[in-house]
Amino acid sequence: MTTRSAFSRRTALVSAAAAAAGAGLTAVPAAPAAAAGTASTPGQDGSKSTVVLVHGAFADASSWSPVTERLQRCGHQVIAVPNPLRGLAHDAAQVAARLAAVPGPVVLAGHSYGGAVITQAAAAAANVRALVYIAAFMPDAGEVLGELAGRFPGSQLEAALTPVPVPGPEGGPTADLYIRPDRFHDVFAQDVPHSVTRVLSAGQRPLNGTAFTDRCTAAAWRTLPSWTLICGQDRGIAPQLQRFQAQRAGSRTAEVLSSHLPMHSRPDAVVSLIRAAARAV
């Protein structure tokens, strides 16, 4: 079995078994903080655009909370949308439908698996002006996430997953994937306080196993400008893969020494990149 396909095949087998059982890098400056209790005038620094945030697997929209708060203080309109985590085609369609209801231009940001979702969703959303990827997948059309994840070493995620058998949308068996609580901190957010990761682990939302075998049908980064925050200490998505994807997309990139959860460990860096995208559009 090749490294390229190992991740997707192993993940598919884990899910099936469970169901049967039941171009350069730059440092990111800190975002300028608004005074406590005040906000910038709407329209300054690109704040006429609505920033739409799409969370990744094992999380919900609250994973963006430190970033949402900072963006709002700077005068940005922010929507942190729910990502169903049921599979790439379904999730992208749901996000695209939400984007269609947003008036005016959108800066669309995705974290982790959410990067794959915005890549496909933005291709069907005429109001998206820029894409921002935070420690994220950036698949091309025709690529499978599991195979993409297996191209470069460094991820510790697969070994930390636990499958739970659940009914599929048509009533047949499938499996949801969770990160084991004893591995959540070290694999997902090793630079975030344990007191925070214990809460995040307890409230994690599962990703359906089919997401790793779904094929991306459109790559919006081929026609839209993109910004990428590469996390150099990421144990979820290998930093080498993040660099490869950003270079392939011609993305404006910045790198921080962060875990897979920079929204909590480096929120100012995340905000700075999103605001850079907003100013550009």
Side-chain angles (χ1 to χ4, degrees):
M1 184 181 300
T2 66
T3 301
R4 177 187 178 99
S5 62
F7 189 100
S8 59
R9 292 188 184 181
R10 286 198 301 269
T11 302
L13 288 172
V14 167
S15 300
L25 299 177
T26 58
V28 181
T38 66
S40 301
T41 302
Q44 293 178 342
D45 299 324
S47 59
K48 285 185 177 179
S49 300
T50 299
V51 177
V52 176
L53 307 173
V54 180
H55 65 85
F58 319 114
D60 59 23
S62 67
S63 65
W64 286 103
S65 292
V67 171
T68 299
E69 179 184 6
R70 286 165 171 78
L71 287 171
Q72 288 175 336
R73 287 206 309 262
C74 292
H76 292 275
Q77 297 293 322
V78 182
I79 300 173
V81 302
N83 182 0
L85 306 180
R86 298 296 84 196
L88 185 54
H90 175 80
D91 299 342
Q94 292 289 314
V95 170
R98 184 65 183 92
L99 292 170
V102 179
V106 167
V107 174
L108 182 59
H111 171 244
S112 189
Y113 166 71
V117 174
I118 69 169
T119 294
Q120 187 158 314
N127 55 343
V128 176
R129 298 290 183 267
L131 300 169
V132 183
Y133 294 91
I134 308 298
F137 285 116
M138 301 172 64
D140 201 354
E143 289 182 339
V144 175
L145 289 188
E147 293 176 356
L148 185 61
R151 289 187 186 184
F152 299 96
S155 174
Q156 301 177 21
L157 178 60
E158 186 184 11
L161 296 178
T162 295
V164 174
V166 295
E170 305 299 327
T174 184
D176 277 352
L177 303 175
Y178 294 84
I179 300 177
R180 283 168 30 205
D182 64 321
R183 298 291 294 140
F184 190 95
H185 176 85
D186 289 342
V187 170
F188 207 65
Q190 73 271 17
D191 55 356
V192 177
H194 281 274
S195 59
V196 175
T197 58
R198 281 195 295 268
V199 174
L200 296 175
S201 175
Q204 64 178 294
R205 292 188 58 225
L207 176 70
N208 191 264
T210 59
F212 285 116
T213 58
D214 287 345
R215 194 171 300 277
C216 182
T217 60
W221 51 258
R222 287 198 168 274
T223 56
L224 292 171
S226 64
W227 284 254
T228 299
L229 186 67
I230 297 165
C231 293
Q233 296 179 335
D234 197 328
R235 298 171 183 172
I237 298 178
Q240 191 176 354
L241 174 58
Q242 295 177 42
R243 297 184 189 106
F244 161 77
Q245 294 175 131
Q247 183 176 12
R248 177 175 68 173
S251 188
R252 297 160 178 82
T253 62
E255 183 160 355
V256 292
L257 291 177
S258 167
S259 69
H260 190 61
L261 203 61
M263 298 95 75
H264 284 265
S265 64
R266 295 294 302 273
D268 287 337
V270 177
V271 169
S272 288
L273 197 68
I274 292 173
R275 297 192 73 207
R279 286 192 296 270
V281 301

